[in-house]
Amino acid sequence: MIRRFIKRVFGDSKSPSSGKPNDNPLILPRSKHGIKRALIDSCALKTCETLADAGFNAFVVGGAVRDLLLDKKPKDFDVATDATPEEVRRLFRRSRIIGRRFKIVHVMCGRDTIEVTTFRAGGNINGEEEDERPTDETGRILEDNIFGNMAEDAARRDFTVNALYYDPLREEVHDYFNGVADCKKKILRMIGDPATRFREDPVRMLRAARFAAKLDFHIDPATRKPVAELAGLLDNVPRARIFDEAVKLLMSGHAVRGVHQLRAEGLHHGMLPLLDTILDDEQGKRFIEAGLKNTDQRIHEDKPASPGFLFACLLWPQVQRRWKEIQAEGEKPIPALFIAMDEVLETQRGLLAIPRRLDGMIKEVWALQPRFEHRSGSRPFRLLEHPRFRAGYDFLLIRAESGEVAHELGDWWTEFQDADEESRKAMLQADTGPKPKRRRRRKPKSEAAASPGEEIT
Ligand code: ATP
Ligand code: MG
């Protein structure tokens, strides 16, 4: 039935840069591409083998092939096949079909999951048929769910370096759009007409900025050209998708470069509108750079990094600004901080769709900051016990790094948390700060009458 869609008559051979399906890909042997089979995830290998044993074609595809060609460690391994999702599902005991409109299969082995996708067609088959995919008035594709052959599958991918297929059994790379050559030249080139492809899916503009930063590639001039004009189309993209893309860019390990790339292409309006106001402010800019640098470093060191923490960083300069303004209007410091936090999160929700599930973490990290100022009595000990102490402390170090608070404060907490009990007591400062308010219990009337003036604490 579904095979009806896979009316797979390969088209005429067309120029590999035209974006039209080309049934004669370059097929590179091991000696030409140099990918070591041992570096392919064993789960992905097994998945391809099982599919091939059952008579299907199966390839490792996309970012993994690109990254291996560039000697980088792939983030994940995706498999593309001519088997339908149902056929894939039947071959693997531990697998499930996900997605309703376009089904893909998750194949589980051990704790790994491999995403298996059936070849999809782009619509503009051989340039002769009308694109069947529904679009909105700006040309954005709303549904993309037609099965196709391998050549069509390659043509609907975004960049030439992302349209490479690795056959683990024959150890060959199938290259439809000269992606291997572009990889070597470090060029990010859109498949097909760049303006049309950006209109179809404006997120590809953000992906271009992300890959250029992550791979240290140049964006091909013809690919870059329409971006300035089309950047505004990002406003039509569902905010949740923009948020996902923002997280990918910020957690790529190349956030500093990625954010600069976004600004250089004028894409930050659509993705991180907050950057505009903040990066004009010297202290805000220093803080965000320090925060992004810290996250990049954590990712390179394989330390955990959370989107909540990152957004806490990105929004902090605004919180600070509002915090000061609200205090200047007469509010006390702590209530003013809470008002500022809520305001900033609410404003950003409309622009960036930060999911509410992150609010708790973000607010806790912010709300802990004034507590690091207190270095006397029992308060530092209580702060150490706080479940978010670590994130709050990491945040404090970024504030110190950016010059917002004294380095000495960060250093004090670094030492305090690792010191033994005796040294901690010796480190405590004389109690000069504002005393924590004691809550007074009101006396029951009869008691008050019995001992007037006596304070109950
Ligand atoms: P990463 O290392 O960030 O995972 P990736 O290239 O694997 O990079 P994914 O988002 O995982 O990127 O997508 C996998 C593949 O799917 C891409 O390599 C590309 O071929 C294709 N793809 C993903 N998103 C798009 C898109 N918006 N338009 C066209 N093709 C896309
Ligand atoms: Mg990927």
Side-chain angles (χ1 to χ4, degrees):
M1 241 179 16
I2 291 165
R3 293 243 164 218
R4 197 150 43 91
F5 288 109
I6 316 179
K7 40 164 184 138
R8 301 311 92 187
V9 189
F10 280 69
D12 295 338
S13 173
K14 295 272 164 62
S15 139
S17 57
S18 69
K20 310 263 170 68
N22 166 18
D23 62 341
N24 290 327
L26 290 173
I27 298 183
L28 293 105
R30 162 83 206 265
S31 60
K32 286 272 166 55
H33 60 70
I35 293 177
K36 297 192 188 80
R37 195 170 184 270
L39 295 179
I40 306 283
D41 173 78
S42 59
C43 192
L45 276 182
K46 186 96 200 18
T47 306
C48 289
E49 271 166 21
T50 308
L51 282 159
D53 288 347
F56 297 106
N57 290 308
F59 299 84
V60 173
V61 68
V65 187
R66 177 199 68 215
D67 291 349
L68 287 171
L69 275 175
L70 294 166
D71 268 336
K72 290 181 191 286
K73 190 168 172 266
K75 213 173 59 189
D76 41 39
F77 286 81
D78 297 325
V79 167
T81 178
D82 55 0
T84 64
E86 288 74 15
E87 285 167 335
V88 177
R89 168 72 193 89
R90 276 198 291 275
L91 285 173
F92 299 92
R93 200 171 48 84
R94 291 186 62 216
S95 68
R96 59 165 185 259
I97 294 181
I98 59 161
R100 263 193 307 150
R101 277 217 304 256
F102 195 88
K103 295 173 182 168
I104 60 175
V105 187
H106 278 176
V107 173
M108 278 83 74
C109 25
R111 277 193 281 150
D112 283 349
T113 300
I114 299 293
E115 212 167 90
V116 182
T117 318
T118 304
F119 294 146
R120 266 187 267 185
N124 192 14
I125 302 161
N126 297 333
E128 284 153 14
E129 293 179 25
E130 278 287 296
D131 193 330
E132 297 163 24
R133 297 170 297 177
T135 59
D136 71 6
E137 65 286 356
T138 66
R140 186 166 69 88
I141 289 179
L142 300 171
E143 275 180 44
D144 187 8
N145 53 5
I146 305 164
F147 291 126
N149 65 19
M150 185 167 160
E152 289 164 339
D153 190 79
R156 60 163 285 285
R157 292 179 182 271
D158 44 9
F159 304 103
T160 59
V161 295
N162 283 351
L164 297 168
Y165 297 73
Y166 176 75
D167 176 345
L169 304 184
R170 296 184 184 80
E171 297 195 62
E172 289 168 349
V173 168
H174 294 231
D175 180 0
Y176 288 84
F177 297 101
N178 287 329
V180 173
D182 283 347
C183 249
K184 289 202 177 118
K185 287 187 268 178
K186 291 178 154 268
I187 288 180
L188 195 70
R189 194 193 312 272
M190 179 64 88
I191 296 169
D193 171 49
T196 310
R197 303 299 314 280
F198 287 136
R199 281 182 191 282
E200 283 175 1
D201 181 7
V203 168
R204 288 174 185 150
M205 293 187 267
L206 301 177
R207 289 174 61 84
R210 171 159 71 90
F211 290 129
K214 169 178 159 161
L215 307 170
D216 200 12
F217 272 31
H218 289 292
I219 305 178
D220 163 57
T223 299
R224 160 175 278 144
K225 196 161 165 260
V227 171
E229 196 192 318
L230 300 177
L233 292 179
L234 284 167
D235 293 345
N236 301 333
V237 176
R239 294 290 93 184
R241 211 169 151 224
I242 299 279
F243 176 80
D244 288 347
E245 197 52 41
V247 170
K248 280 190 190 171
L249 179 124
L250 296 169
M251 306 284 281
S252 67
H254 304 277
V256 174
R257 216 158 53 200
V259 165
H260 283 293
Q261 187 82 39
L262 280 184
R263 282 205 106 201
E265 304 294 336
L267 290 166
H268 59 293
H269 302 290
M271 182 154 169
L272 295 168
L274 55 122
L275 285 183
D276 244 354
T277 42
I278 290 161
L279 296 181
D280 290 341
D281 167 85
E282 265 313 305
Q283 175 52 38
K285 189 167 150 186
R286 269 203 302 275
F287 179 82
I288 287 189
E289 295 238 331
L292 296 178
K293 211 163 90 189
N294 174 277
T295 311
D296 284 350
Q297 211 171 328
R298 292 183 75 89
I299 289 171
H300 288 297
E301 289 166 6
D302 268 337
K303 288 188 188 159
S306 80
F309 186 86
L310 251 167
F311 284 103
C313 287
L314 285 173
L315 299 177
W316 177 246
Q318 277 178 336
V319 172
Q320 267 219 318
R321 190 183 295 175
R322 282 301 291 144
W323 187 16
K324 280 188 198 135
E325 285 168 5
I326 296 166
Q327 285 184 80
E329 287 160 14
E331 188 54 88
K332 293 199 181 94
I334 300 301
L337 174 60
F338 279 77
I339 296 170
M341 289 182 345
D342 282 338
E343 249 188 54
V344 169
L345 276 174
E346 234 10 84
T347 317
Q348 283 308 315
R349 199 162 341 266
L351 299 169
L352 193 64
I354 297 175
R356 281 182 199 278
R357 69 187 150 78
L358 297 182
D359 280 14
M361 152 87 172
I362 296 176
K363 282 189 186 174
E364 272 182 319
V365 168
W366 288 341
L368 284 180
Q369 295 312 306
R371 293 180 59 182
F372 284 100
E373 307 282 343
H374 302 291
R375 290 186 269 171
S376 59
S378 59
R379 286 167 151 209
F381 294 94
R382 287 209 301 274
L383 187 49
L384 279 183
E385 301 298 316
H386 194 284
R388 287 267 185 239
F389 170 79
R390 189 74 217 180
Y393 161 75
D394 286 339
F395 198 85
L396 176 75
L397 291 189
I398 295 171
R399 293 172 66 214
E401 180 65 40
S402 73
E404 185 198 316
V405 293
H407 261 293
E408 179 270 330
L409 181 63
D411 295 344
W412 190 91
W413 280 98
T414 305
E415 200 183 326
F416 187 73
Q417 60 185 301
D418 286 336
D420 58 31
E421 214 49 32
E422 276 310 297
S423 319
R424 279 182 183 166
K425 279 189 188 137
M427 284 178 75
L428 292 179
Q429 297 182 341
D431 203 349
T432 49
K435 285 224 161 60
K437 270 197 194 144
R438 291 247 172 88
R439 257 188 287 145
R440 288 188 180 182
R441 189 156 58 87
R442 209 188 283 177
K443 289 178 192 172
K445 268 199 182 131
S446 55
E447 204 183 315
S451 52
E454 194 185 316
E455 198 178 293
I456 300 171
T457 53

